[in-house]
Amino acid sequence: MRRRSGSGGIVDCLFCKISSGDIPAKIVREGEHTVAFRDINPQAPVHVLVIPRTHYADLGELSADPVVLAAVAAEAAEVAKAEGVDGTGYRVVFNTGSNAGQTVFHVHAHVLGGRGLNWPPG
Ligand code: AMP
Ligand code: ZN
């Protein structure tokens, strides 16, 4: 069962701790519903993660909250603009579940850009 901390995040969730400021991250932008920060192991010149402040494990759970789902999508586009890759193009990825290699079970949108991105992905 999920246990909530005093600040409302999920105990032992890395991204809840980044959202609350308990664990530092290179924050790019913050909004009412979202936090955007640089991936610690960047796969492209621009690699930013956009998370909802509220804990949802994956895209399926996030979809139950259309307001926050829209905020995450809009924020991914704003990050791309702020990082200067909206003109050249970028990719937004929600790795979901084990076949996709999801490792952190607080939903996050990867915003990748600044180089050509292969398709199909690995
Ligand atoms: P995923 O594999 O889609 O679950 O992505 C998790 C991402 O979180 C990976 O790209 C990691 O490099 C990134 N990550 C893990 N820990 C941190 C952290 N403390 N700060 C920033 N990014 C992180
Ligand atoms: Zn969380």
Side-chain angles (χ1 to χ4, degrees):
M1 210 184 85
R2 288 175 182 163
R3 289 185 303 125
R4 289 196 179 270
S5 70
S7 57
I10 299 294
V11 172
D12 293 334
C13 173
L14 176 63
F15 287 178
C16 281
K17 288 179 180 164
I18 287 178
S19 173
S20 64
D22 292 340
I23 288 181
K26 291 185 180 166
I27 306 285
V28 174
R29 290 167 50 91
E30 288 192 84
E32 181 187 355
H33 297 298
T34 59
V35 181
F37 54 95
R38 297 199 189 282
D39 195 293
I40 206 167
N41 183 23
Q43 302 301 312
V46 171
H47 189 173
V48 173
L49 302 177
V50 178
I51 64 169
R53 290 189 181 278
T54 306
H55 182 96
Y56 295 106
D58 60 19
L59 185 60
E61 285 194 7
L62 177 61
S63 298
D65 188 340
V67 171
V68 176
L69 172 66
V72 170
E75 186 58 17
E78 287 302 321
V79 164
K81 213 183 280 182
E83 295 288 309
V85 296
D86 56 323
T88 48
Y90 59 95
R91 186 169 293 160
V92 179
V93 175
F94 290 92
N95 288 325
T96 306
S98 58
N99 268 3
Q102 184 178 4
T103 58
V104 178
F105 288 85
H106 178 133
V107 68
H108 47 281
H110 295 257
V111 181
L112 297 148
R115 66 169 171 82
L117 299 164
N118 295 332
W119 191 264

